[in-house]
Amino acid sequence: MIEINNTFINGGFVEKNNRSKFELINPATEKQYGELLCSSEDEVEHAINCASEAEIICSNLSIEDKKNILSQILDGISYRREELGEVISLEMGAPISLAKNAHIQMGIDHLTNTLNVLSSYKFETKENGFQIFKSPIGVVALITPWNWPLNQTLTKIASAIGAGCPIIIKPSEFCALSSRILAEIISESDLPDGAFNMVNGIGSNLGPIISQHKKIDMISFTGSTEVGISIQTLAAKTVKRVSLELGGKSAHIICDDVELLDAIPKAINQCFINSGQSCSAPTRLLIPKDKLNEVKKIAISHTKNIKTGNPLNENTNLGPVINSKQYKNIQSHIQSGIEDSLELIIGGIGRPDEHEKGYYVKPTIFLDVPNNHSLAQEEIFGPVLTVITYKDLDEAIDIANDSKYGLSSYISSNNEKTAYEIAKRIKAGQTIINKPSRGSVPAPFGGFKMSGNGREHGIYGLEDYLEVKAII
Ligand code: NAP
Ligand code: MG
């Protein structure tokens, strides 16, 4: 049984007896493979104090220093790429090819992207009658989930280091192994002691200490809207900056001029990748009403061939979902669609037949769902696609916008001008046009409405961690 200690404070891992333990379960087998030794509340306090003491040294790092540190971290991730892919596949069930390629690559891309930004970013500018100095906001707390672990941790870490902010990070305990490797890699860089601290443990215990702490100047959180609201509420007492990247229920508008045989399989894959556990997944597929039967046939024949199975098998398309809580939650969403007599065209409740164990969910599609049903409104976070029909593009845009969320959106169209005009009318932080993947790495990422505030990645991500000072 592996024991993992992810309490890293002031440049070293902290050994301590009698820590509370968190069982690490392999989602593909439901067997325990290890234990996370949780950080105590005192250790969180200590980590925050150490970060606070490192504030001046971090703010004095030159651009060259910061680029050097980010390059060292980038080299470390690249060097341990295979191992990181294997542990991410084990801990959150991502198919090994997805883990090694997409998961690790996204982390690498964020580091590279911030390095590029730092090469030309002007922290000091002269304006008409005054000067602007962009200074680091101070101590930042980063709280991240399990669904794209390295993507989420590294985009925040790269921006915080680029800005010159000391960090205290609480990654998800479901990703203890990859978080340990990340801390090891960062500890080998030239980042000063105290500039990077990691605590790991149950969010509802550690989170409130972080959210209310006077010495934390900013919190960057990725996760559920519910937890985001609780962080922001507690953080209000100290008027700290809170950057939230929350849930989504993104619409994908299929225009009537596209080749459905090409567009529908791509749209389904985009929704189901990572077993549907992506905040920006296009989970509402909006199609012209008169194409319903054609879409139904294509969707069934494509989805039948999606292989759900052992994440270590190179041919697996979908692994299990993260844990039993998420599995049950997804099942109850599917059940509600069945109880309300929605048209289930493939999938349904229970595991795929070939699995007796593991949090495997059948790739599931409901057809012609009213947009006010919970299947069209709630974030399910599993491989469940909701197909909705529209009569014209104005109605499609209304449906896309009829959501409490506004993280991403997607358009498939053969007319670039029309797609661009639709994009401008959708209330979401991104609109991805005719791309089968995640879009662009340097592009800002973040939500409208209850999908959050603030922007991550590249220059916008860096600026989230900076204060604007006017010198007159
Ligand atoms: P979550 O509860 O929002 O967890 C995200 C992170 O916040 C984890 O590190 C979590 O730690 C921590 N946390 C929990 N309670 C906290 C608190 N009171 N204060 C500060 N931090 C706290 O998400 P989840 O439970 O893993 O997943 C639940 C649902 O959230 C999913 O079904 C999905 O809809 C949504 N979700 C969205 C995203 C996204 O990228 N937008 C990512 C993950 C999940 P613990 O793990 O210890 O709770
Ligand atoms: Mg939670």
Side-chain angles (χ1 to χ4, degrees):
M1 181 86 56
I2 326 169
E3 270 198 347
I4 299 158
N5 170 19
N6 277 347
T7 304
F8 182 90
I9 302 175
N10 209 19
F13 287 96
V14 183
E15 303 299 332
K16 183 172 174 285
N17 294 328
N18 302 325
R19 288 179 187 279
S20 62
K21 291 175 181 167
F22 178 85
E23 280 184 14
L24 299 168
I25 308 287
N26 179 342
T29 61
E30 299 180 43
K31 289 207 180 106
Q32 187 177 354
Y33 63 85
E35 279 175 340
L36 169 69
L37 305 173
C38 296
S39 312
S40 68
E41 296 177 9
D42 289 348
E43 285 173 322
V44 175
E45 186 70 35
H46 182 46
I48 296 170
N49 284 324
C50 291
S52 176
E53 278 163 28
E55 200 178 326
I56 293 175
I57 191 168
C58 285
S59 66
N60 286 334
L61 291 172
S62 68
I63 292 180
E64 280 318 304
D65 293 336
K66 295 189 279 199
K67 283 172 67 182
N68 182 38
I69 292 161
L70 291 177
S71 301
Q72 290 167 335
I73 298 171
L74 177 59
D75 289 346
I77 301 282
S78 306
Y79 185 71
R80 297 182 74 174
R81 184 178 187 132
E82 287 287 304
E83 187 190 356
L84 274 165
E86 280 158 22
V87 303
I88 286 179
S89 180
L90 166 68
E91 63 195 8
M92 51 82 58
I96 189 73
S97 53
L98 184 78
K100 283 189 182 167
N101 298 313
H103 275 269
I104 314 298
Q105 192 57 45
M106 282 166 91
I108 287 176
D109 289 349
H110 291 311
L111 289 161
T112 310
N113 192 20
T114 302
L115 276 163
N116 290 338
V117 170
L118 285 177
S119 296
S120 58
Y121 191 75
K122 299 270 177 288
F123 286 85
E124 294 172 59
T125 52
K126 257 197 159 104
E127 310 286 327
N128 197 5
F130 60 93
Q131 292 180 60
I132 292 292
F133 174 60
K134 305 264 180 74
S135 73
I137 189 163
V139 176
V140 297
L142 316 177
I143 303 177
T144 55
W146 42 263
N147 57 325
W148 286 95
L150 268 199
N151 164 52
Q152 286 142 343
T153 50
L154 280 171
T155 191
K156 294 182 197 305
I157 289 169
S159 296
I161 293 176
C165 299
I167 294 166
I168 164 163
I169 185 166
K170 192 211 87 67
S172 167
E173 56 274 19
F174 291 99
C175 294
L177 289 168
S178 56
S179 302
R180 168 79 196 200
I181 296 174
L182 180 63
E184 287 170 5
I185 290 169
I186 294 177
S187 75
E188 284 157 15
S189 76
D190 290 340
L191 196 65
D193 290 350
F196 175 85
N197 306 278
M198 182 183 282
V199 292
N200 216 176
I202 308 298
S204 48
N205 298 342
L206 306 186
I209 306 172
I210 293 171
S211 305
Q212 300 178 80
H213 209 286
K214 286 188 193 133
K215 290 188 182 170
I216 290 178
D217 300 289
M218 166 176 165
I219 301 179
S220 176
F221 169 77
T222 299
S224 61
T225 296
E226 187 191 358
V227 171
I229 291 169
S230 94
I231 291 174
Q232 188 153 38
T233 306
L234 292 178
K237 291 179 194 154
T238 50
V239 200
K240 49 175 94 329
R241 185 178 296 172
V242 180
S243 178
L244 300 173
E245 200 275 273
L246 309 174
K249 194 75 195 178
S250 300
H252 184 166
I253 300 177
I254 303 283
C255 294
D256 64 2
D257 61 352
V258 298
E259 176 53 68
L260 294 175
L261 266 175
D262 179 54
I264 299 301
K266 282 181 185 159
I268 292 171
N269 293 347
Q270 234 170 351
C271 174
F272 288 171
I273 189 171
N274 212 35
S275 297
Q277 303 169 113
S278 303
C279 43
S280 57
T283 47
R284 289 187 295 153
L285 185 66
L286 275 48
I287 59 160
K289 195 157 189 66
D290 59 352
K291 305 277 196 246
L292 193 65
N293 285 332
E294 203 181 334
V295 168
K296 177 175 173 175
K297 272 190 222 135
I298 298 169
I300 294 172
S301 89
H302 176 70
T303 307
K304 267 197 315 215
N305 295 322
I306 294 178
K307 289 188 228 48
T308 300
N310 184 348
L312 295 177
N313 184 335
E314 291 282 348
N315 297 321
T316 291
N317 302 120
L318 299 189
V321 298
I322 183 82
N323 57 31
S324 96
K325 183 179 151 218
Q326 285 298 111
Y327 177 82
K328 287 180 191 146
N329 186 34
I330 297 162
Q331 296 299 315
S332 73
H333 277 290
I334 298 174
Q335 184 65 39
S336 82
I338 294 169
E339 276 165 15
D340 293 341
S341 308
L342 296 179
E343 187 180 355
L344 172 70
I345 60 166
I346 192 156
I349 51 174
R351 293 185 185 83
D353 294 341
E354 59 279 22
H355 299 290
E356 279 176 16
K357 280 270 171 200
Y359 307 123
Y360 291 102
V361 176
K362 291 178 189 165
T364 295
I365 303 179
F366 285 95
L367 200 70
D368 209 4
V369 176
N371 193 53
N372 62 4
H373 192 274
S374 59
L375 282 182
Q377 291 293 325
E378 299 304 322
E379 185 174 48
I380 300 173
F381 238 59
V384 180
L385 176 66
T386 300
V387 181
I388 301 167
T389 58
Y390 67 82
K391 62 176 189 309
D392 56 34
L393 283 176
D394 284 335
E395 190 185 42
I397 294 165
D398 286 345
I399 294 169
N401 287 336
D402 180 13
S403 168
K404 65 184 172 204
Y405 294 119
L407 188 55
S408 193
S409 54
Y410 301 74
I411 300 170
S412 292
S413 166
N414 275 330
N415 185 327
E416 264 182 46
K417 200 160 164 279
T418 308
Y420 189 76
E421 291 308 315
I422 300 172
K424 287 198 287 186
R425 292 171 60 191
I426 297 180
K427 292 182 182 146
Q430 287 198 335
T431 300
I432 295 175
I433 302 173
N434 293 336
K435 297 197 180 55
S437 65
R438 64 183 162 129
S440 155
V441 181
F445 182 73
F448 284 24
K449 301 192 271 184
M450 288 184 87
S451 290
N453 53 37
R455 290 294 178 271
E456 302 206 274
H457 307 349
I459 198 162
Y460 292 89
L462 180 75
E463 290 191 330
D464 244 19
Y465 294 77
L466 295 171
E467 281 284 20
V468 177
K469 177 197 283 291
I471 303 175
I472 304 159

